[in-house]
Amino acid sequence: MLGMCRGRRKFLVASLALLSIPALTWLYLSVGNFQEVKPMPLSPVDPQSPMVSAVPRGHHALEIRVREVEEENRTLRRQLSQSQRGHAHKPPHGHHSNQSRTYSTEEGTGDNEGQRSGAPGNSTDCAQHPPVDKCETIHVAIVCAGYNASRDVVTLVKSVLFHRRNPLHFHFITDSIAQQILASLFHTWMVPAVRVDFYDADELKSEVSWIPNKHYSGIYGLMKLVLTKTLPSDLERVIVLDTDITFATDIAELWAVFHKFKGQQVLGVVENQSDWYLGNLWKNHRPWPALGRGFNTGVILLLLDRLRKLKWEQMWRLTAERELMSMLSTSLADQDIFNAVFKQNPFLVYQLPCFWNVQLSDHTRSEKCYKDVSDLKVIHWNSPKKLRVKNKHVEFFRNLYLTFLEYDGNLLRRELFGCPSEADHNSENLQKKLSELDEDDPCYEFRRERFTVHRTHLYFLHYEPEPASDSTDVTLVAQLSMDRLQMLEAICKHWEGPISLALYLSDAEAQQFLRYAQGSEVLMGRANVGYHIVYKEGQFYPVNLLRNVAMKHVNTTYMFLSDIDFLPMYGLYEYLRKSVVQLDMANTKKALIVPAFETLRYRLSFPKSKAELLTQLDMGTLFTFRYHVWTKGHAPTNFAKWRTATTPYRVQWEADFEPYVVVRRNCPEYDRRFVGFGWNKVAHIMELDAQEYEFVVLPNAYMIHMPHAPSFDITKFRSNKQYRVCLKTLKEEFQQNMSRRYGFAALKYMTAENNS
């Protein structure tokens, strides 16, 4: 506010000075050729203007002085005329000298440290700017590539969603990995009034691959340069953000800053808060050219329509080509090229107050951007050290970041009342299905769970499986919650092949898992394990949904459908790969059964062969799985025959059969109506039988169930009568559905159940 008011006073003083110049000139000529005149500033608009030197004696010197005054008069008129039209004066510039002078004359863009009141850069206007319309869509562009960046960007999105009051349209420039992850995440997140579009970063590589870049962001760190070409041609303005940004305010406040752009200003950026572009960080440090301290490009406001008219593509390319002749490569990716363009064209820049990009890299002046928590707007973790950066208030910033990192994303599914939203067919269908349920039904919660959409983050950790040399590869599939996390390392030691896991976690637990995994040499040494986070929602454990998520993201021809509590025998991976060939699974419908055993001992000398297993079975160290509580579940495997079998043998389906099997990737999904404990695997095996799968027991394969405390769901099953009643109801409905789908062939399931 003070800046604009001060600017208007300057304009008034300048106008008076302009009117007084002819009178002063006449007085100068009248007083005589023999008097000295003291120097006086002729340009109140620019207090840095050089003072007029004393006029020498003599008529010739006086004529020279008059011509100088008249020339300055014309210059001042041009300056004032430009100021009235809202154009910033473009000063002459050098090529490589990074001066600390600020070139823009618009309020909010040219404040020096000494001119700012309060926290540096924190200023308001004396006239109220038009507010952002309640239902105006705010556009945000983010470049995101790879597994880690896809995980980091979620925290940024959470911070934006937490504060926002406007519809949002995210424009993600992604590689194929990030697109798969984020498309699934937003599809299952189902946040109202949020639209997401993706742009293929691989198609843009040729636009920037010619630029050598030493920054850790690689080629993707240069792609903000081509946004005018990438984003839709009818998109006029966009906020561009790095993935390591955290918002502490409504993004609409930043969007409103576009109203302050004047003249040819087309890019809003915050001054760099380190000394990088001053070139004094170490001996022979030679940064790219920049205006003063330069500008940080972690937060950018882009007026796309004007940039296109200014031929931005040609502008930055020519600048980059010229500078690379001497600089050879970029050190800070797109930021170096943006700054070189700003050096050549300072009129393009609107300098944002520094609280819009508080930069937390080492040795920055970021603490000058705020005096109080309320001053903070945007926090930028722009150091490779991220949360380990050295900063006076790093604990406060870290806690703020962790708040959003572990914040329950389901709570951000709130409506924007009063704003019409685009029709979302998925949401409409979901609401229609839920409305058809009877809320007075004692099993309502069970039925509702089937339609619950769980937010899902695929490939939470880096995933890079080795391509299979043939089509016999097998992926182990399992699901787990936080209380089974300790099984991961053991399974990885027993199974060297690819693994697909679905983890049912809260946002906070997902971060605990991340720290656990990153601290494990075993898990970090495996790049062929896909971890898919399904976020908690509702009161039941969605076991079959988890299995379906893990199955859906298997990349091999075959999959071994296991549970997290089981350790496969050593060498099972290679044994299964040979078995699928021997049993011609490529051309037949088979489900290969891996016999299941269990131990009650937490410390077990794991059998290294079938002979050792039989010995432990005879000694009572091992048992056939659930023989004492649920014999029917695995009895059809025929363990007596397996003891002496040397070749695979076929078994028939029986009621309640639930073996662990190896099947082709295109097998039926698990039925989602079964949640928690009970009938979740039984229903799937019944489906396989109805589709005429042949069940074949492998004679030299086995898996062992390790002991653990009872799950919460089995405890509910045992203690809650209504739970058991609802499970029985769901089972009967499933059997009726089977009869409708498979006709006469499915009658045996009804008969078998009645006889069991």
Side-chain angles (χ1 to χ4, degrees):
M1 181 182 294
L2 292 175
M4 281 195 66
C5 297
R6 202 180 297 125
R8 292 171 183 171
R9 289 199 296 271
K10 288 180 180 179
F11 180 85
L12 181 59
V13 173
S15 301
L16 294 174
L18 184 62
L19 294 174
S20 66
I21 286 173
L24 290 172
T25 305
W26 177 84
L27 180 61
Y28 218 110
L29 295 172
S30 301
V31 168
N33 302 335
F34 310 105
Q35 294 183 3
E36 283 189 0
V37 179
K38 294 182 180 180
M40 62 185 269
L42 296 178
S43 178
V45 169
D46 185 359
Q48 303 298 323
S49 298
M51 307 294 272
V52 181
S53 58
V55 178
R57 299 178 186 275
H59 184 72
H60 179 67
L62 183 60
E63 289 179 346
I64 294 175
R65 179 62 189 139
V66 168
R67 284 196 295 272
E68 289 176 351
V69 170
E70 291 174 344
E71 177 60 30
E72 291 181 7
N73 184 12
R74 286 192 292 271
T75 301
L76 185 58
R77 286 181 185 275
R78 284 197 300 271
Q79 290 178 346
L80 292 173
S81 175
Q82 290 174 351
S83 178
Q84 286 175 316
R85 292 196 304 268
H87 288 284
H89 174 55
K90 178 181 177 181
H93 50 78
H95 184 60
H96 272 289
S97 60
N98 295 354
Q99 304 173 15
S100 60
R101 179 180 175 185
T102 305
Y103 288 82
S104 174
T105 61
E106 299 297 343
E107 187 279 331
T109 70
D111 289 347
N112 294 322
E113 294 293 336
Q115 293 174 319
R116 295 172 183 164
S117 60
N122 297 5
S123 58
T124 55
D125 298 342
C126 52
Q128 181 69 37
H129 280 286
V132 178
D133 183 76
K134 177 182 177 181
C135 297
E136 181 179 353
T137 299
I138 296 173
H139 293 266
V140 181
I142 302 171
V143 178
C144 181
Y147 300 98
N148 294 340
S150 301
R151 192 173 62 242
D152 295 339
V153 78
V154 176
T155 308
L156 160 61
V157 171
K158 281 184 183 179
S159 69
V160 173
L161 292 176
F162 181 83
H163 297 287
R164 65 104 179 212
R165 293 183 178 85
N166 285 71
L168 296 172
H169 188 163
F170 288 101
H171 302 264
F172 286 106
I173 296 84
T174 61
D175 62 354
S176 59
I177 294 168
Q179 178 171 348
Q180 180 186 13
I181 295 171
L182 296 177
S184 170
L185 178 66
F186 278 96
H187 177 73
T188 54
W189 203 342
M190 299 182 72
V191 183
V194 170
R195 178 179 169 184
V196 179
D197 281 322
F198 295 93
Y199 309 84
D200 190 353
D202 292 334
E203 294 182 358
L204 304 176
K205 285 183 177 179
S206 60
E207 302 284 340
V208 293
S209 59
W210 57 274
I211 305 172
N213 179 28
K214 294 180 179 178
H215 194 256
Y216 61 83
S217 59
I219 192 170
Y220 299 101
L222 297 163
M223 290 190 175
K224 283 185 279 188
L225 293 165
V226 296
L227 290 180
T228 54
K229 191 173 183 179
T230 306
L231 298 177
S233 57
D234 59 347
L235 182 58
E236 297 182 356
R237 60 188 64 182
V238 68
I239 297 173
V240 186
L241 303 173
D242 280 355
T243 58
D244 52 2
I245 291 288
T246 305
F247 266 77
T249 192
D250 189 350
I251 196 172
E253 294 181 34
L254 181 57
W255 187 257
V257 176
F258 276 116
H259 294 298
K260 300 182 181 181
F261 282 35
K262 298 177 182 177
Q264 299 183 61
Q265 294 172 335
V266 289
L267 297 104
V269 282
V270 170
E271 185 181 53
N272 203 44
Q273 290 156 22
S274 75
D275 291 347
W276 177 272
Y277 287 107
L278 298 181
N280 58 9
L281 293 183
W282 59 80
K283 187 177 180 181
N284 299 325
H285 175 216
R286 186 166 172 257
W288 276 57
L291 289 172
R293 309 188 71 86
F295 295 93
N296 184 280
T297 55
V299 177
I300 315 176
L301 271 61
L302 290 183
L303 280 179
L304 295 169
D305 52 342
R306 295 191 195 175
L307 278 168
R308 294 182 183 111
K309 291 176 183 177
L310 290 170
K311 297 188 165 123
W312 167 254
E313 285 285 322
Q314 181 180 358
M315 187 183 297
W316 74 259
R317 282 178 180 275
L318 291 174
T319 301
E321 289 171 358
R322 182 182 64 249
E323 297 301 335
L324 284 170
M325 294 178 67
S326 58
M327 299 303 296
L328 303 182
S329 68
T330 61
S331 296
L332 299 181
D334 64 83
Q335 184 168 298
D336 285 337
I337 297 174
F338 271 109
N339 274 287
V341 173
F342 297 160
K343 179 79 172 179
Q344 292 289 315
N345 308 278
F347 58 88
L348 298 176
V349 181
Y350 178 93
Q351 183 175 333
L352 295 169
C354 68
F355 52 59
W356 283 117
N357 186 350
V358 179
Q359 301 149 38
L360 297 184
S361 55
D362 289 337
H363 312 300
T364 69
R365 304 155 73 237
S366 58
E367 61 188 68
K368 295 187 177 181
C369 294
Y370 55 89
K371 284 187 175 180
D372 192 77
V373 174
S374 60
D375 295 331
L376 294 170
K377 303 288 187 183
V378 173
I379 300 165
H380 186 187
W381 301 89
N382 62 320
S383 166
K385 298 178 181 178
K386 301 306 177 188
L387 298 186
R388 295 177 289 107
V389 70
K390 295 179 181 178
N391 182 280
K392 182 178 179 181
H393 303 111
V394 69
E395 279 301 319
F396 172 81
F397 293 119
R398 187 183 292 122
N399 289 336
L400 181 63
Y401 174 81
L402 292 176
T403 298
F404 291 114
L405 185 71
E406 300 184 355
Y407 188 81
D408 185 352
N410 298 328
L411 300 178
L412 298 169
R413 290 169 165 166
R414 56 177 183 260
E415 294 281 350
L416 292 183
F417 294 106
C419 293
S421 57
E422 296 183 10
D424 183 346
H425 298 297
N426 292 327
S427 180
E428 290 176 354
N429 290 337
L430 175 61
Q431 293 302 320
K432 181 181 179 182
K433 290 176 181 177
L434 291 176
S435 66
E436 293 172 353
L437 298 178
D438 180 6
E439 295 190 23
D440 296 327
D441 181 354
C443 300
Y444 171 78
E445 292 297 334
F446 282 85
R447 301 186 192 285
R448 191 182 192 281
E449 176 58 38
R450 183 180 182 182
F451 303 111
T452 299
V453 178
H454 289 263
R455 186 166 41 104
T456 304
H457 188 132
L458 305 176
Y459 301 106
F460 198 66
L461 297 181
H462 183 77
Y463 180 69
E464 193 173 353
E466 296 180 5
S469 56
D470 52 39
S471 59
T472 66
D473 211 358
V474 183
T475 298
L476 186 150
V477 172
Q479 40 72 37
L480 69 151
S481 53
M482 197 68 181
D483 59 344
R484 299 291 191 270
L485 209 57
Q486 71 279 3
M487 290 295 298
L488 292 181
E489 287 191 352
I491 288 177
C492 286
K493 291 176 181 177
H494 280 249
W495 178 274
E496 62 269 27
I499 302 175
S500 182
L501 298 172
L503 298 88
Y504 192 56
L505 306 173
S506 66
D507 292 75
E509 287 174 339
Q511 298 309 312
Q512 293 177 40
F513 159 70
L514 177 62
R515 292 190 290 270
Y516 170 81
Q518 291 176 337
S520 167
E521 291 184 10
V522 174
L523 300 187
M524 286 296 96
R526 294 286 295 271
N528 63 346
V529 181
Y531 300 96
H532 312 297
I533 307 297
V534 177
Y535 287 100
K536 286 184 175 180
E537 185 173 1
Q539 60 174 303
F540 296 107
Y541 184 77
V543 57
N544 279 355
L545 167 66
L546 297 173
R547 288 178 172 135
N548 290 340
V549 168
M551 285 171 53
K552 186 176 181 180
H553 298 96
V554 166
N555 300 312
T556 58
T557 308
Y558 304 98
M559 53 189 180
F560 172 34
L561 305 181
S562 183
D563 270 340
I564 198 67
D565 307 320
F566 282 87
L567 291 181
M569 74 176 197
Y570 292 109
L572 181 62
Y573 170 61
E574 289 298 335
Y575 177 74
L576 293 181
R577 293 188 66 177
K578 293 176 183 177
S579 297
V580 299
V581 175
Q582 293 171 355
L583 296 169
D584 193 26
M585 285 190 65
N587 302 305
T588 58
K589 263 188 174 181
K590 286 189 176 74
L592 307 185
I593 296 174
V594 177
F597 299 85
E598 70 175 329
T599 180
L600 303 180
R601 299 183 179 184
Y602 284 88
R603 298 174 67 89
L604 173 72
S605 176
F606 200 91
K608 295 181 174 58
S609 66
K610 179 177 179 178
E612 284 189 26
L613 181 139
L614 291 175
T615 299
Q616 294 187 16
L617 198 62
D618 293 336
M619 294 174 59
T621 305
L622 293 178
F623 308 92
T624 55
F625 185 55
R626 291 291 184 262
Y627 82 99
H628 55 300
V629 293
W630 186 244
T631 307
K632 294 188 296 183
H634 294 265
T637 301
N638 194 345
F639 289 100
K641 183 174 182 177
W642 181 83
R643 291 180 66 103
T644 58
T646 56
T647 59
Y649 59 92
R650 183 176 178 181
V651 296
Q652 299 297 321
W653 174 88
E654 294 180 21
D656 298 320
F657 192 27
E658 51 176 3
Y660 293 95
V661 297
V662 178
V663 290
R664 292 182 62 87
R665 184 176 58 188
N666 60 355
C667 85
E669 288 189 336
Y670 288 83
D671 195 295
R672 278 198 60 188
R673 83 186 74 202
F674 297 106
V675 295
F677 177 81
W679 250 67
N680 45 72
K681 291 194 300 293
V682 172
H684 187 247
I685 294 299
M686 188 181 291
E687 184 89 35
L688 293 182
D689 183 66
Q691 293 194 15
E692 300 181 340
Y693 275 74
E694 181 182 345
F695 296 105
V696 178
V697 180
L698 298 174
N700 294 307
Y702 57 88
M703 58 197 298
I704 300 177
H705 181 267
M706 304 305 291
H708 57 77
S711 68
F712 181 62
D713 289 281
I714 195 172
T715 303
K716 285 195 295 185
F717 172 81
R718 291 170 177 169
S719 62
N720 190 325
K721 181 180 178 181
Q722 187 60 49
Y723 192 111
R724 296 192 296 273
V725 169
C726 288
L727 178 60
K728 185 175 185 296
T729 301
L730 295 175
K731 182 170 64 172
E732 292 170 352
E733 291 175 357
F734 173 77
Q735 291 170 329
Q736 292 169 4
N737 289 343
M738 291 283 287
S739 297
R740 284 193 291 269
R741 290 162 57 203
Y742 297 105
F744 181 78
L747 290 178
K748 69 174 182 178
Y749 306 123
M750 302 285 289
T751 306
E753 179 64 25
N754 292 332
N755 294 333
S756 63

